[in-house]
Amino acid sequence: MERRYVSVKTELPGPKSKEVLERKAKAVPRALANLAPFVVAKAEGVTVEDLDGNRFLDFSGGWGVMNVGHNHPRVVAAVKGQAERFLHTDFTAVPYGVLVELAERIGRLAPGASPKKTVFFNSGAEAVENAVKISRAATGRKAVIVFEHAFHGRTYLAMTMTHKAMPYKAGFGPYMPDVYRLPYPYPYRTPIAMEELERRLLALVDPREVACVVVEPVIGEGGFIVPPPEFFPFLRGLADRHGFLFVADEVQTGVGRTGRFFASEHFGVEPDLITFGKSIAGGLPLSGVVGKAEIMDRPIPGSLGGTYVGNPVACAAAMAVLDVVEEEGLLARAEHIGTLLKKGLERIQARFPIVGEVRGLGAMVGMELVRDRETKEPATEETGRIQREALRRGLIFPTAGIYGNVVRFLVPLVTPDDALEEGLSILEEAFQSVLD
Ligand code: PLP
Protein backbone atom coordinates (compact mmCIF):
# COMPACT_ATOMS: atom_id res chain seq x y z
CA MET A 1 0.00 0.00 0.00
CA GLU A 2 1.25 3.48 -0.89
CA ARG A 3 2.45 5.39 2.19
CA ARG A 4 0.95 8.85 2.63
CA TYR A 5 1.60 9.41 6.32
CA VAL A 6 4.65 7.32 7.15
CA SER A 7 8.13 8.01 5.85
CA VAL A 8 11.12 6.27 7.43
CA LYS A 9 14.31 7.20 5.58
CA THR A 10 17.04 6.28 8.08
CA GLU A 11 17.95 3.37 10.27
CA LEU A 12 16.33 3.82 13.69
CA PRO A 13 17.51 5.67 15.60
CA GLY A 14 18.76 8.09 12.93
CA PRO A 15 22.01 9.97 13.66
CA LYS A 16 20.40 12.97 15.41
CA SER A 17 18.11 10.82 17.56
CA LYS A 18 21.01 8.52 18.35
CA GLU A 19 23.09 11.37 19.71
CA VAL A 20 20.29 12.43 22.12
CA LEU A 21 19.57 8.82 23.14
CA GLU A 22 23.23 8.30 24.00
CA ARG A 23 23.11 11.37 26.24
CA LYS A 24 19.79 10.14 27.67
CA ALA A 25 21.43 6.87 28.74
CA LYS A 26 23.96 8.88 30.78
CA ALA A 27 21.62 11.53 32.22
CA VAL A 28 18.24 9.82 32.74
CA PRO A 29 17.65 6.68 34.86
CA ARG A 30 16.97 3.49 32.94
CA ALA A 31 13.65 3.13 34.78
CA LEU A 32 12.28 5.57 32.18
CA ALA A 33 12.37 3.04 29.35
CA ASN A 34 11.18 4.18 25.89
CA LEU A 35 8.76 2.62 23.47
CA ALA A 36 10.06 4.50 20.40
CA PRO A 37 13.68 4.14 19.25
CA PHE A 38 13.88 7.79 18.17
CA VAL A 39 13.47 11.32 19.53
CA VAL A 40 10.51 13.52 18.60
CA ALA A 41 10.95 16.87 16.87
CA LYS A 42 7.27 17.71 16.27
CA ALA A 43 3.84 16.12 16.19
CA GLU A 44 0.51 16.89 14.54
CA GLY A 45 -2.77 14.99 14.46
CA VAL A 46 -1.87 11.29 14.28
CA THR A 47 1.75 11.77 13.14
CA VAL A 48 5.02 12.25 14.98
CA GLU A 49 8.21 13.40 13.25
CA ASP A 50 11.66 12.63 14.64
CA LEU A 51 14.88 14.68 14.68
CA ASP A 52 16.05 12.96 11.49
CA GLY A 53 12.93 13.83 9.50
CA ASN A 54 11.29 10.38 9.74
CA ARG A 55 7.51 10.45 10.09
CA PHE A 56 5.49 7.90 12.08
CA LEU A 57 1.86 7.08 12.68
CA ASP A 58 1.23 7.36 16.41
CA PHE A 59 -1.39 4.78 17.34
CA SER A 60 -0.33 5.12 20.99
CA GLY A 61 -1.70 8.67 21.06
CA GLY A 62 0.86 9.66 23.68
CA TRP A 63 -0.37 6.70 25.76
CA GLY A 64 -4.02 7.68 25.53
CA VAL A 65 -3.57 11.43 25.93
CA MET A 66 -4.17 12.56 22.36
CA ASN A 67 -7.86 11.89 21.78
CA VAL A 68 -8.07 15.26 19.96
CA GLY A 69 -4.77 14.60 18.15
CA HIS A 70 -1.30 16.03 18.66
CA ASN A 71 -1.16 19.82 18.79
CA HIS A 72 -4.77 20.44 17.93
CA PRO A 73 -4.79 24.11 16.78
CA ARG A 74 -7.69 24.97 19.12
CA VAL A 75 -5.78 23.56 22.10
CA VAL A 76 -2.57 25.35 21.11
CA ALA A 77 -4.45 28.66 20.73
CA ALA A 78 -6.14 28.22 24.12
CA VAL A 79 -2.78 27.49 25.78
CA LYS A 80 -1.16 30.55 24.17
CA GLY A 81 -4.09 32.78 25.10
CA GLN A 82 -4.07 31.70 28.74
CA ALA A 83 -0.26 31.86 28.96
CA GLU A 84 -0.40 35.51 27.93
CA ARG A 85 -2.94 36.33 30.67
CA PHE A 86 -1.48 34.46 33.68
CA LEU A 87 0.29 31.13 34.18
CA HIS A 88 -0.35 30.38 37.83
CA THR A 89 -1.77 31.74 41.04
CA ASP A 90 -2.65 28.47 42.87
CA PHE A 91 -6.44 28.25 42.81
CA THR A 92 -6.53 28.05 46.62
CA ALA A 93 -4.57 31.32 46.84
CA VAL A 94 -6.32 33.32 44.10
CA PRO A 95 -9.14 31.48 42.28
CA TYR A 96 -9.85 31.80 38.53
CA GLY A 97 -12.94 31.43 36.40
CA VAL A 98 -11.65 28.95 33.83
CA LEU A 99 -11.37 26.21 36.50
CA VAL A 100 -14.92 26.91 37.71
CA GLU A 101 -16.28 26.83 34.16
CA LEU A 102 -14.46 23.56 33.47
CA ALA A 103 -15.79 22.03 36.70
CA GLU A 104 -19.34 23.00 35.67
CA ARG A 105 -18.87 21.49 32.24
CA ILE A 106 -17.40 18.19 33.44
CA GLY A 107 -20.16 17.99 36.05
CA ARG A 108 -22.71 18.19 33.23
CA LEU A 109 -20.88 15.50 31.24
CA ALA A 110 -20.75 12.99 34.12
CA PRO A 111 -23.54 10.39 33.93
CA GLY A 112 -26.55 10.46 36.23
CA ALA A 113 -29.01 13.06 37.47
CA SER A 114 -27.41 13.97 40.83
CA PRO A 115 -25.74 17.38 41.08
CA LYS A 116 -21.97 17.03 40.63
CA LYS A 117 -18.81 18.74 41.83
CA THR A 118 -15.33 18.41 40.33
CA VAL A 119 -11.86 18.71 41.83
CA PHE A 120 -8.71 18.83 39.72
CA PHE A 121 -5.26 17.29 40.08
CA ASN A 122 -2.21 16.76 37.86
CA SER A 123 -1.93 13.04 37.12
CA GLY A 124 -4.19 10.02 36.94
CA ALA A 125 -2.53 8.50 40.00
CA GLU A 126 -3.28 11.63 42.03
CA ALA A 127 -6.91 11.52 40.92
CA VAL A 128 -7.16 7.89 42.07
CA GLU A 129 -5.50 8.67 45.42
CA ASN A 130 -7.91 11.53 45.99
CA ALA A 131 -10.95 9.47 45.04
CA VAL A 132 -9.93 7.11 47.84
CA LYS A 133 -9.37 10.01 50.26
CA ILE A 134 -12.83 11.38 49.46
CA SER A 135 -14.38 7.90 49.82
CA ARG A 136 -12.75 7.36 53.20
CA ALA A 137 -13.77 10.81 54.43
CA ALA A 138 -17.34 10.27 53.21
CA THR A 139 -17.85 6.77 54.63
CA GLY A 140 -15.57 6.76 57.68
CA ARG A 141 -14.34 3.35 56.45
CA LYS A 142 -10.91 2.28 55.28
CA ALA A 143 -10.86 -0.74 52.94
CA VAL A 144 -10.50 -0.37 49.17
CA ILE A 145 -11.60 -3.05 46.71
CA VAL A 146 -9.71 -3.28 43.41
CA PHE A 147 -9.43 -5.86 40.64
CA GLU A 148 -7.01 -8.15 38.92
CA HIS A 149 -5.49 -6.63 35.75
CA ALA A 150 -6.09 -3.12 37.11
CA PHE A 151 -3.74 -0.23 36.52
CA HIS A 152 -4.28 2.85 38.67
CA GLY A 153 -0.88 4.59 38.62
CA ARG A 154 2.53 4.66 40.24
CA THR A 155 2.26 6.56 43.54
CA TYR A 156 2.25 4.34 46.63
CA LEU A 157 -1.48 3.83 47.01
CA ALA A 158 -2.15 3.80 43.25
CA MET A 159 0.75 1.36 42.75
CA THR A 160 -0.63 -0.88 45.48
CA MET A 161 -4.01 -0.78 43.72
CA THR A 162 -2.31 -1.71 40.43
CA HIS A 163 -2.16 -5.46 39.81
CA LYS A 164 0.89 -6.15 37.66
CA ALA A 165 4.05 -6.41 39.74
CA MET A 166 6.63 -6.47 36.96
CA PRO A 167 7.72 -3.83 36.28
CA TYR A 168 5.37 -1.51 38.16
CA LYS A 169 6.03 -2.69 41.70
CA ALA A 170 9.53 -4.15 41.30
CA GLY A 171 11.56 -3.43 44.41
CA PHE A 172 9.13 -0.81 45.75
CA GLY A 173 7.44 -2.61 48.65
CA PRO A 174 6.09 -2.49 51.30
CA TYR A 175 2.76 -1.49 49.84
CA MET A 176 -0.26 0.24 51.37
CA PRO A 177 -2.59 -1.66 53.70
CA ASP A 178 -6.33 -2.26 53.33
CA VAL A 179 -6.36 -2.85 49.57
CA TYR A 180 -8.24 -6.05 48.57
CA ARG A 181 -8.27 -7.54 45.08
CA LEU A 182 -11.09 -9.40 43.34
CA PRO A 183 -11.03 -11.13 39.93
CA TYR A 184 -12.10 -8.89 37.03
CA PRO A 185 -14.53 -10.70 34.72
CA TYR A 186 -12.33 -11.50 31.72
CA PRO A 187 -14.54 -13.25 29.18
CA TYR A 188 -11.65 -14.60 27.05
CA ARG A 189 -9.68 -16.20 29.92
CA THR A 190 -11.44 -16.16 33.26
CA PRO A 191 -15.17 -15.43 33.11
CA ILE A 192 -16.78 -15.26 36.54
CA ALA A 193 -20.41 -15.10 37.63
CA MET A 194 -21.50 -12.05 39.59
CA GLU A 195 -22.74 -14.16 42.54
CA GLU A 196 -19.29 -15.73 42.78
CA LEU A 197 -17.71 -12.27 42.86
CA GLU A 198 -19.91 -11.34 45.81
CA ARG A 199 -18.98 -14.57 47.61
CA ARG A 200 -15.30 -13.77 47.03
CA LEU A 201 -15.78 -10.26 48.40
CA LEU A 202 -17.40 -11.58 51.57
CA ALA A 203 -14.53 -14.04 52.04
CA LEU A 204 -11.95 -11.29 51.57
CA VAL A 205 -13.09 -8.44 53.79
CA ASP A 206 -15.93 -7.36 56.07
CA PRO A 207 -18.01 -5.25 53.64
CA ARG A 208 -18.90 -2.90 56.53
CA GLU A 209 -15.24 -1.83 56.47
CA VAL A 210 -15.18 -1.07 52.75
CA ALA A 211 -14.94 2.60 51.77
CA CYS A 212 -15.06 2.08 48.01
CA VAL A 213 -14.61 -0.17 45.04
CA VAL A 214 -12.36 1.32 42.34
CA VAL A 215 -12.73 -0.16 38.88
CA GLU A 216 -11.95 0.54 35.24
CA PRO A 217 -15.01 0.27 32.94
CA VAL A 218 -12.70 -1.32 30.37
CA ILE A 219 -9.32 -2.50 31.62
CA GLY A 220 -6.64 -0.35 29.95
CA GLU A 221 -2.97 -1.15 30.69
CA GLY A 222 -4.13 -4.58 31.86
CA GLY A 223 -5.12 -5.62 28.33
CA PHE A 224 -8.26 -3.86 27.00
CA ILE A 225 -10.62 -6.25 28.75
CA VAL A 226 -14.29 -5.44 28.19
CA PRO A 227 -16.42 -6.79 31.05
CA PRO A 228 -19.86 -8.31 30.51
CA PRO A 229 -22.72 -5.78 30.55
CA GLU A 230 -23.98 -6.95 33.97
CA PHE A 231 -20.69 -6.12 35.75
CA PHE A 232 -21.15 -2.40 36.35
CA PRO A 233 -24.84 -2.68 37.38
CA PHE A 234 -23.80 -5.52 39.72
CA LEU A 235 -21.10 -3.37 41.35
CA ARG A 236 -23.54 -0.49 41.70
CA GLY A 237 -25.97 -2.79 43.51
CA LEU A 238 -23.21 -4.30 45.64
CA ALA A 239 -21.97 -0.87 46.74
CA ASP A 240 -25.52 0.22 47.61
CA ARG A 241 -26.26 -2.99 49.56
CA HIS A 242 -23.12 -2.70 51.66
CA GLY A 243 -22.97 1.09 51.94
CA PHE A 244 -19.68 1.72 50.16
CA LEU A 245 -18.90 3.98 47.21
CA PHE A 246 -18.52 3.02 43.58
CA VAL A 247 -15.57 4.75 41.89
CA ALA A 248 -15.05 4.39 38.14
CA ASP A 249 -11.44 4.99 37.10
CA GLU A 250 -11.90 6.59 33.67
CA VAL A 251 -8.39 7.97 33.33
CA GLN A 252 -7.94 5.91 30.15
CA THR A 253 -11.54 5.26 29.07
CA GLY A 254 -12.72 8.88 29.45
CA VAL A 255 -12.91 11.86 27.09
CA GLY A 256 -14.70 9.93 24.37
CA ARG A 257 -12.32 7.00 23.92
CA THR A 258 -15.11 4.41 23.97
CA GLY A 259 -17.70 6.41 22.04
CA ARG A 260 -19.30 7.98 25.14
CA PHE A 261 -17.71 10.83 27.05
CA PHE A 262 -17.37 8.52 30.05
CA ALA A 263 -17.41 4.76 29.39
CA SER A 264 -19.62 4.20 32.47
CA GLU A 265 -22.50 5.51 30.34
CA HIS A 266 -22.39 2.31 28.27
CA PHE A 267 -23.44 0.37 31.34
CA GLY A 268 -26.28 2.64 32.43
CA VAL A 269 -25.03 3.29 35.96
CA GLU A 270 -24.11 6.43 37.86
CA PRO A 271 -20.83 5.95 39.75
CA ASP A 272 -20.48 7.94 42.97
CA LEU A 273 -17.09 9.25 41.81
CA ILE A 274 -15.29 9.18 38.45
CA THR A 275 -11.58 9.79 37.99
CA PHE A 276 -10.36 11.26 34.71
CA GLY A 277 -7.02 12.42 33.31
CA LYS A 278 -4.91 11.69 30.23
CA SER A 279 -6.80 13.17 27.23
CA ILE A 280 -8.75 15.78 29.19
CA ALA A 281 -6.29 18.62 28.48
CA GLY A 282 -4.93 17.56 25.07
CA GLY A 283 -1.37 16.98 26.32
CA LEU A 284 -1.13 19.19 29.41
CA PRO A 285 -1.04 17.60 32.86
CA LEU A 286 -4.55 17.69 34.27
CA SER A 287 -6.69 15.11 36.03
CA GLY A 288 -9.60 15.14 38.40
CA VAL A 289 -12.43 13.55 40.30
CA VAL A 290 -16.05 14.33 39.45
CA GLY A 291 -18.75 13.01 41.72
CA LYS A 292 -22.00 13.42 43.56
CA ALA A 293 -21.93 16.84 45.21
CA GLU A 294 -22.86 15.66 48.69
CA ILE A 295 -20.00 13.13 48.68
CA MET A 296 -17.49 15.56 47.14
CA ASP A 297 -18.24 18.02 49.95
CA ARG A 298 -17.44 15.61 52.78
CA PRO A 299 -13.67 16.36 53.04
CA ILE A 300 -13.23 19.53 55.13
CA PRO A 301 -11.95 22.87 53.71
CA GLY A 302 -8.22 22.75 53.03
CA SER A 303 -8.03 18.96 53.02
CA LEU A 304 -7.69 18.48 49.23
CA GLY A 305 -5.38 20.31 46.84
CA GLY A 306 -1.78 20.74 45.72
CA THR A 307 0.28 23.65 44.39
CA TYR A 308 -0.39 23.05 40.71
CA VAL A 309 -3.77 21.32 40.76
CA GLY A 310 -6.12 22.69 38.11
CA ASN A 311 -3.41 24.87 36.58
CA PRO A 312 -5.09 27.62 34.51
CA VAL A 313 -3.21 26.81 31.29
CA ALA A 314 -4.23 23.14 31.60
CA CYS A 315 -7.84 24.18 32.35
CA ALA A 316 -7.91 26.44 29.27
CA ALA A 317 -6.55 23.54 27.18
CA ALA A 318 -9.26 21.27 28.60
CA MET A 319 -12.00 23.77 27.66
CA ALA A 320 -10.67 23.64 24.08
CA VAL A 321 -10.58 19.82 24.20
CA LEU A 322 -14.25 19.71 25.23
CA ASP A 323 -15.13 22.12 22.39
CA VAL A 324 -13.29 19.90 19.90
CA VAL A 325 -14.95 16.72 21.19
CA GLU A 326 -18.35 18.38 20.71
CA GLU A 327 -17.84 20.33 17.53
CA GLU A 328 -15.87 17.67 15.64
CA GLY A 329 -18.27 14.91 16.70
CA LEU A 330 -15.50 12.81 18.26
CA LEU A 331 -17.86 10.47 20.13
CA ALA A 332 -19.38 9.27 16.85
CA ARG A 333 -15.92 9.28 15.33
CA ALA A 334 -14.70 6.95 18.13
CA GLU A 335 -17.41 4.45 17.19
CA HIS A 336 -16.46 4.70 13.52
CA ILE A 337 -12.74 4.27 14.24
CA GLY A 338 -13.54 1.29 16.46
CA THR A 339 -15.51 -0.37 13.66
CA LEU A 340 -12.71 0.17 11.12
CA LEU A 341 -10.02 -1.01 13.52
CA LYS A 342 -11.95 -4.13 14.48
CA LYS A 343 -12.55 -4.97 10.83
CA GLY A 344 -8.83 -4.54 10.06
CA LEU A 345 -7.75 -6.61 13.06
CA GLU A 346 -10.22 -9.36 12.20
CA ARG A 347 -8.68 -9.45 8.73
CA ILE A 348 -5.30 -10.07 10.40
CA GLN A 349 -6.90 -12.64 12.74
CA ALA A 350 -8.24 -14.56 9.74
CA ARG A 351 -4.71 -14.77 8.35
CA PHE A 352 -2.66 -15.40 11.50
CA PRO A 353 -3.74 -18.00 14.08
CA ILE A 354 -1.64 -16.18 16.71
CA VAL A 355 -4.52 -13.71 17.08
CA GLY A 356 -6.65 -15.27 19.83
CA GLU A 357 -9.19 -12.51 20.24
CA VAL A 358 -10.02 -9.08 18.82
CA ARG A 359 -12.00 -7.00 21.30
CA GLY A 360 -12.84 -3.50 22.39
CA LEU A 361 -15.39 -0.82 23.09
CA GLY A 362 -15.61 2.19 20.75
CA ALA A 363 -12.10 3.18 19.70
CA MET A 364 -10.52 1.28 22.61
CA VAL A 365 -9.61 -1.73 20.49
CA GLY A 366 -6.94 -4.38 20.86
CA MET A 367 -6.12 -8.00 20.21
CA GLU A 368 -4.67 -10.73 22.35
CA LEU A 369 -1.90 -12.88 20.87
CA VAL A 370 -1.57 -16.53 21.86
CA ARG A 371 0.74 -19.37 20.80
CA ASP A 372 -2.18 -21.76 20.66
CA ARG A 373 -5.85 -20.87 20.35
CA GLU A 374 -6.81 -23.86 22.53
CA THR A 375 -4.38 -23.45 25.43
CA LYS A 376 -4.25 -19.65 25.07
CA GLU A 377 -0.57 -19.63 26.01
CA PRO A 378 0.37 -15.93 25.87
CA ALA A 379 2.55 -15.02 22.87
CA THR A 380 4.49 -12.41 24.84
CA GLU A 381 7.77 -12.57 22.97
CA GLU A 382 6.09 -12.55 19.54
CA THR A 383 4.02 -9.52 20.57
CA GLY A 384 7.22 -7.60 21.34
CA ARG A 385 8.78 -8.62 18.03
CA ILE A 386 5.70 -7.54 16.08
CA GLN A 387 5.72 -4.23 17.92
CA ARG A 388 9.38 -3.62 17.03
CA GLU A 389 8.85 -4.60 13.37
CA ALA A 390 5.91 -2.21 13.14
CA LEU A 391 8.01 0.56 14.68
CA ARG A 392 10.78 0.00 12.16
CA ARG A 393 8.16 0.44 9.44
CA GLY A 394 6.76 3.62 10.99
CA LEU A 395 3.85 2.55 13.22
CA ILE A 396 3.86 3.22 16.98
CA PHE A 397 1.49 1.28 19.22
CA PRO A 398 1.67 0.14 22.84
CA THR A 399 1.24 -3.39 24.11
CA ALA A 400 -0.72 -4.26 27.24
CA GLY A 401 -1.84 -7.03 29.54
CA ILE A 402 -0.31 -8.70 32.55
CA TYR A 403 1.41 -11.08 30.11
CA GLY A 404 2.35 -8.26 27.69
CA ASN A 405 0.60 -10.11 24.85
CA VAL A 406 -2.08 -7.58 23.88
CA VAL A 407 -1.64 -5.26 20.92
CA ARG A 408 -3.69 -2.16 21.65
CA PHE A 409 -4.53 1.08 19.95
CA LEU A 410 -5.16 4.48 21.47
CA VAL A 411 -5.37 6.30 18.14
CA PRO A 412 -6.32 9.97 18.18
CA LEU A 413 -10.04 10.24 17.47
CA VAL A 414 -9.27 12.72 14.67
CA THR A 415 -7.35 10.05 12.73
CA PRO A 416 -8.53 9.97 9.08
CA ASP A 417 -9.70 6.65 7.60
CA ASP A 418 -6.77 6.42 5.20
CA ALA A 419 -4.29 6.81 8.09
CA LEU A 420 -6.03 3.97 9.92
CA GLU A 421 -5.77 1.81 6.80
CA GLU A 422 -2.11 2.70 6.37
CA GLY A 423 -1.40 1.76 10.00
CA LEU A 424 -3.29 -1.51 9.68
CA SER A 425 -1.39 -2.45 6.54
CA ILE A 426 1.93 -1.76 8.32
CA LEU A 427 0.73 -3.92 11.21
CA GLU A 428 -0.10 -6.74 8.83
CA GLU A 429 3.36 -6.49 7.26
CA ALA A 430 4.89 -6.66 10.75
CA PHE A 431 2.88 -9.83 11.47
CA GLN A 432 4.02 -11.27 8.19
CA SER A 433 7.69 -10.52 8.80
CA VAL A 434 7.64 -12.11 12.26
CA LEU A 435 5.36 -15.08 11.57
CA ASP A 436 5.67 -16.12 7.91
N1 PLP B 1 -5.79 4.94 35.96
C1 PLP B 1 -5.83 4.38 34.74
C2 PLP B 1 -7.03 3.59 34.34
C3 PLP B 1 -4.76 4.53 33.86
O1 PLP B 1 -4.79 3.96 32.65
C4 PLP B 1 -3.63 5.30 34.27
C5 PLP B 1 -2.46 5.45 33.38
O2 PLP B 1 -2.26 4.74 32.43
C6 PLP B 1 -3.64 5.86 35.55
C7 PLP B 1 -4.74 5.68 36.36
C8 PLP B 1 -2.48 6.65 36.04
O3 PLP B 1 -2.38 7.86 35.36
P1 PLP B 1 -1.04 8.72 35.43
O4 PLP B 1 -0.01 7.95 34.67
O5 PLP B 1 -1.41 10.02 34.77
O6 PLP B 1 -0.69 8.89 36.86
Side-chain angles (χ1 to χ4, degrees):
M1 183 183 168
E2 194 208 340
R3 302 271 154 96
R4 290 196 48 222
Y5 293 88
V6 162
S7 160
V8 182
K9 293 171 291 201
T10 69
E11 284 292 302
L12 296 179
K16 291 187 180 144
S17 283
K18 191 157 183 269
E19 193 262 331
V20 176
L21 290 173
E22 280 166 4
R23 283 169 33 219
K24 180 219 159 195
K26 293 197 184 104
V28 180
R30 65 186 181 143
L32 286 151
N34 302 117
L35 167 58
F38 54 82
V39 176
V40 61
K42 59 183 178 185
E44 186 186 344
V46 64
T47 57
V48 164
E49 196 172 309
D50 76 4
L51 295 176
D52 298 285
N54 299 309
R55 205 169 52 244
F56 302 83
L57 274 171
D58 181 10
F59 282 15
S60 78
W63 234 279
V65 169
M66 290 301 162
N67 286 6
V68 300
H70 287 282
N71 275 38
H72 194 291
R74 300 269 302 260
V75 176
V76 174
V79 167
K80 284 184 177 162
Q82 180 58 45
E84 279 167 8
R85 289 188 293 278
F86 61 96
L87 289 169
H88 175 85
T89 58
D90 188 329
F91 186 79
T92 57
V94 183
Y96 30 88
V98 65
L99 183 149
V100 177
E101 208 180 329
L102 184 63
E104 290 168 345
R105 230 167 140 180
I106 291 176
R108 285 195 296 272
L109 285 164
S114 337
K116 303 290 192 308
K117 289 194 173 185
T118 309
V119 57
F120 295 99
F121 301 100
N122 302 295
S123 68
E126 257 185 286
V128 168
E129 298 260 342
N130 280 280
V132 173
K133 282 169 71 170
I134 296 165
S135 299
R136 285 178 170 164
T139 59
R141 302 168 174 199
K142 58 181 195 258
V144 179
I145 305 284
V146 294
F147 288 88
E148 290 174 0
H149 309 281
F151 185 91
H152 296 296
R154 297 171 184 269
T155 53
Y156 261 99
L157 177 61
M159 174 182 69
T160 304
M161 293 165 68
T162 291
H163 183 196
K164 188 174 178 176
M166 301 296 285
Y168 305 127
K169 302 182 179 188
F172 297 146
Y175 310 109
M176 300 291 280
D178 286 308
V179 174
Y180 300 87
R181 194 174 307 283
L182 285 173
Y184 191 92
Y186 185 174
Y188 181 62
R189 285 187 183 276
T190 49
I192 184 165
M194 299 301 112
E195 307 74 57
E196 176 59 15
L197 265 183
E198 184 156 9
R199 280 195 290 274
R200 300 267 184 114
L201 170 73
L202 295 176
L204 205 57
V205 57
D206 177 353
R208 292 169 302 182
E209 288 181 8
V210 176
C212 59
V213 58
V214 182
V215 60
E216 294 163 83
V218 176
I219 292 277
E221 306 298 310
F224 278 27
I225 303 166
V226 186
E230 63 271 22
F231 182 51
F232 256 44
F234 162 76
L235 287 180
R236 179 68 275 176
L238 191 70
D240 291 342
R241 271 200 307 288
H242 296 292
F244 55 81
L245 301 185
F246 177 18
V247 182
D249 181 356
E250 297 238 24
V251 168
Q252 191 157 151
T253 52
V255 196
R257 171 60 40 196
T258 69
R260 303 280 193 282
F261 191 81
F262 287 117
S264 301
E265 291 169 52
H266 286 285
F267 304 111
V269 299
E270 179 179 2
D272 296 303
L273 305 175
I274 296 177
T275 58
F276 57 89
K278 287 201 184 277
S279 274
I280 189 68
L284 271 77
L286 186 71
S287 69
V289 181
V290 56
K292 293 178 180 166
E294 85 267 18
I295 296 170
M296 294 293 287
D297 268 335
R298 294 298 292 277
I300 63 170
S303 60
L304 300 176
T307 304
Y308 288 113
V309 303
N311 169 271
V313 182
C315 286
M319 291 294 285
V321 165
L322 298 184
D323 289 343
V324 171
V325 169
E326 262 170 50
E327 289 167 28
E328 297 188 15
L330 294 192
L331 302 185
R333 187 78 204 143
E335 297 280 4
H336 173 76
I337 285 174
T339 306
L340 288 189
L341 276 178
K342 268 197 185 147
K343 219 190 282 170
L345 298 185
E346 279 159 6
R347 196 173 67 212
I348 294 175
Q349 183 180 34
R351 204 176 143 194
F352 298 99
I354 194 171
V355 181
E357 185 178 57
V358 173
R359 58 179 180 245
L361 189 62
M364 198 164 175
V365 173
M367 58 183 170
E368 180 154 353
L369 305 191
V370 291
R371 294 220 167 112
D372 180 321
R373 283 188 183 170
E374 289 299 310
T375 65
K376 300 182 179 170
E377 181 192 347
T380 307
E381 193 243 335
E382 293 85 342
T383 308
R385 278 168 54 207
I386 290 165
Q387 184 186 40
R388 286 190 291 280
E389 283 300 325
L391 266 168
R392 228 163 51 79
R393 290 169 167 76
L395 173 67
I396 311 168
F397 64 82
T399 58
I402 55 168
Y403 310 121
N405 67 325
V406 177
V407 168
R408 66 168 161 154
F409 299 113
L410 289 160
V411 294
L413 304 178
V414 294
T415 303
D417 290 4
D418 60 346
L420 283 176
E421 277 308 326
E422 188 167 317
L424 285 164
S425 88
I426 294 173
L427 182 69
E428 193 162 351
E429 278 177 31
F431 267 77
Q432 196 174 339
S433 79
V434 170
L435 300 167
D436 273 358

